[in-house]
Amino acid sequence: MSTLKTRQNDADVSNFIMDFATTEQKQKDSFELIELMKETTGCEPRMWGESIIGFGQYHYKSERSRQEGDWPLLGFSPRKAAISLYVYSGCAGQEDLLKDLGKFKMGKACIYIKKLEDIDQQQLKILMKSTVEFLKNKYPDNC
């Protein structure tokens, strides 16, 4: 079984943002996202791999394969093309929340935004809370 490369580490989050976020807007949005995610999870930001800022963690085991690993409850990355938000679990009700979220693109489980003001932050908070609740219920011994 392969080992996940994206693991929690002790790299400095603020330094990462200042070095990695390519615009002042992405830096500003990153620090705002940190506050939103800290408030939602009650966890401090930690680096995951080289480019993801995560909050909290849980240990998952795939129901379809032998893959397992640790992953943050919530996270984001201020990538060059867009800010990647790891806040979506696909649990009941989240599709409806996406309808009022604002301007974004969707990957399989990732939401991509150009800037934070493009989305409704209240909807984002509700989405994040539903993801955290879902993960804590699904993996109660790990969060």
Side-chain angles (χ1 to χ4, degrees):
M1 183 167 46
S2 65
T3 304
L4 285 176
K5 295 177 185 174
T6 306
R7 292 190 285 190
Q8 191 177 119
N9 62 67
D10 292 327
D12 186 273
V13 171
S14 293
N15 287 344
F16 164 74
I17 290 170
M18 298 311 289
D19 291 342
F20 192 78
T22 56
T23 66
E24 283 184 35
Q25 182 67 50
K26 277 203 177 92
Q27 291 172 357
K28 178 182 172 286
D29 289 349
S30 294
F31 288 113
E32 286 182 36
L33 283 166
I34 285 174
E35 292 308 312
L36 287 172
M37 291 184 182
K38 273 175 56 172
E39 179 184 312
T40 303
T41 62
C43 300
E44 291 297 317
R46 298 284 308 270
M47 289 302 302
W48 284 74
E50 295 181 7
S51 63
I52 295 174
I53 300 167
F55 299 79
Q57 75 176 46
Y58 66 96
H59 186 82
Y60 68 89
K61 292 183 181 182
S62 174
E63 296 166 5
R64 294 180 290 227
S65 70
R66 295 186 312 158
Q67 184 175 356
E68 66 179 280
D70 296 315
W71 197 250
L73 292 170
L74 299 177
F76 74 96
S77 182
R79 301 185 191 281
K80 187 174 184 175
I83 298 172
S84 302
L85 301 175
Y86 304 100
V87 299
Y88 180 80
S89 64
C91 64
Q94 285 194 331
E95 288 295 322
D96 291 335
L97 293 173
L98 292 177
K99 292 176 186 173
D100 297 321
L101 187 59
K103 187 177 172 182
F104 69 94
K105 291 186 179 178
M106 187 81 190
K108 185 174 182 181
C110 188
I111 295 171
Y112 303 100
I113 63 172
K114 292 289 184 186
K115 52 189 178 226
L116 195 53
E117 68 184 31
D118 286 344
I119 60 172
D120 182 321
Q121 289 186 30
Q122 284 306 112
Q123 286 298 105
L124 178 61
K125 286 179 188 179
I126 295 167
L127 181 67
M128 291 189 304
K129 285 179 183 175
S130 69
T131 291
V132 170
E133 287 174 15
F134 172 77
L135 293 172
K136 285 186 173 185
N137 285 329
K138 186 170 182 173
Y139 305 101
D141 297 330
N142 299 299
C143 297

